[in-house]
Amino acid sequence: MALAAQDLLPDNIAPCSPQLFGRIAGDLREKGYSINPCALPPGLADGLLQHLHTMSAQQFAPAAIGREQDQVINGFVRKDNICWITGESAAGCQWLEWTHKLQVFLNRELFLGLFSFESHFAHYPPGGFYRRHLDAFRGESNRILSVVAYLNPYWQADDGGELVLYPEPDCPRGITVAPALGTLAVFLSEEVEHEVLATRRDRFSVAGWFRVNSSTAERADPPT
Ligand code: OGA
Ligand code: MN
């Protein structure tokens, strides 16, 4: 019988992080976003980073904008490459396990009804950016909560590549987040505009979205 990558994980590798999850829930309730430096469990951050080193450039495809059939690649809006996480690697499984724990916790605390999760690795090469955008438009998408985890050791102030959140439409300067290893940003997908400033170094992250169930009589929403 073939072993799933998940069966190979030591028990202690994806801890629950109850304090962190509690802080995220409180921040989301209060202000719609939560920024947490050094938040990823070290085993998880290292596992994802090591997995990245084993991936080849061919596994990353230029990211598109828009939904499904309407997707287009637009180098004026975003310039990054992505690779979806499907749970085939041990590190990918570990990430999905940990985000599932976050999902269960937030559903219990905030009654968000989060139902499924999708995520990808992203690579912004030097000069890469993503212009100011929302991850979802109200009523048009079922993306509710965005999560970004950064995988860049020794990030320096002049490396650029910051995430800037604009939680209030009239807060022009925004909230700036350096994409340093272990930092976790969580924000409401339909409410918080954000952008990625041009990076001067290769910049790696995992971005993910929790969705609510949008099944209809005609189409079942896959629970992944
Ligand atoms: C995205 C995004 C932010 C980041 O992928 O939609 O906004 O900091 N990413 O990588
Ligand atoms: Mn985004």
Side-chain angles (χ1 to χ4, degrees), residues 46-111:
D46 291 346
L48 289 168
L49 196 55
Q50 277 172 26
H51 182 61
L52 266 179
H53 290 313
T54 70
M55 293 170 74
S56 68
Q58 286 82 4
Q59 287 172 269
F60 283 86
I65 49 174
R67 296 201 75 202
E68 294 163 10
Q69 311 88 305
D70 302 329
Q71 287 203 343
V72 285
I73 291 169
N74 183 334
F76 293 105
V77 175
R78 66 186 295 188
K79 198 162 160 292
D80 62 320
N81 303 308
I82 62 166
C83 176
W84 289 98
I85 297 177
T86 51
E88 280 152 22
S89 67
C93 279
Q94 204 183 314
W95 164 251
L96 295 176
E97 235 179 79
W98 191 69
T99 51
H100 185 71
K101 286 180 182 153
L102 178 60
Q103 174 178 329
V104 170
F105 186 93
L106 294 179
N107 279 343
R108 212 168 45 216
E109 291 290 309
L110 302 177
F111 308 105

Side-chain angles (χ1 to χ4, degrees), residues 2-220:
L3 273 180
Q6 210 158 356
D7 298 332
L8 302 170
L9 293 178
D11 291 342
N12 62 352
I13 209 152
C16 268
S17 320
Q19 277 184 336
L20 170 68
F21 290 178
R23 193 166 69 231
I24 293 171
D27 283 347
L28 289 175
R29 193 185 283 123
E30 234 171 78
K31 46 191 191 174
Y33 70 91
S34 182
I35 305 301
N36 302 277
C38 305
L40 277 193
L44 178 55
D46 291 346
L48 289 168
L49 196 55
Q50 277 172 26
H51 182 61
L52 266 179
H53 290 313
T54 70
M55 293 170 74
S56 68
Q58 286 82 4
Q59 287 172 269
F60 283 86
I65 49 174
R67 296 201 75 202
E68 294 163 10
Q69 311 88 305
D70 302 329
Q71 287 203 343
V72 285
I73 291 169
N74 183 334
F76 293 105
V77 175
R78 66 186 295 188
K79 198 162 160 292
D80 62 320
N81 303 308
I82 62 166
C83 176
W84 289 98
I85 297 177
T86 51
E88 280 152 22
S89 67
C93 279
Q94 204 183 314
W95 164 251
L96 295 176
E97 235 179 79
W98 191 69
T99 51
H100 185 71
K101 286 180 182 153
L102 178 60
Q103 174 178 329
V104 170
F105 186 93
L106 294 179
N107 279 343
R108 212 168 45 216
E109 291 290 309
L110 302 177
F111 308 105
L112 289 175
L114 306 175
F115 170 75
S116 66
F117 183 67
E118 58 182 355
S119 68
H120 60 56
F121 287 104
H123 169 222
Y124 291 70
F129 59 84
Y130 195 165
R131 298 258 184 265
R132 184 164 168 167
H133 64 282
L134 277 174
D135 285 346
F137 293 101
R138 202 177 282 277
E140 279 185 28
S141 154
N142 49 1
R143 281 181 175 180
I144 296 295
L145 197 63
S146 305
V147 183
V148 193
Y150 298 102
L151 300 174
N152 307 290
Y154 312 114
W155 199 262
Q156 303 293 314
D158 57 2
D159 288 334
E162 295 91 349
L163 168 72
V164 187
L165 299 178
Y166 300 96
E168 317 280 349
D170 51 358
C171 163
R173 295 191 45 193
I175 310 245
T176 299
V177 183
L181 179 64
T183 294
L184 185 79
V186 185
F187 52 90
L188 297 176
S189 307
E190 294 175 331
E191 281 170 28
V192 181
E193 291 190 3
H194 55 284
E195 68 179 321
V196 177
L197 303 181
T199 180
R200 294 192 190 90
R201 255 176 70 184
D202 288 297
R203 173 196 195 267
F204 292 95
S205 58
V206 176
W209 298 271
F210 292 104
R211 294 175 172 275
V212 289
N213 190 349
S214 66
S215 294
T216 60
E218 290 75 41
R219 193 178 65 83

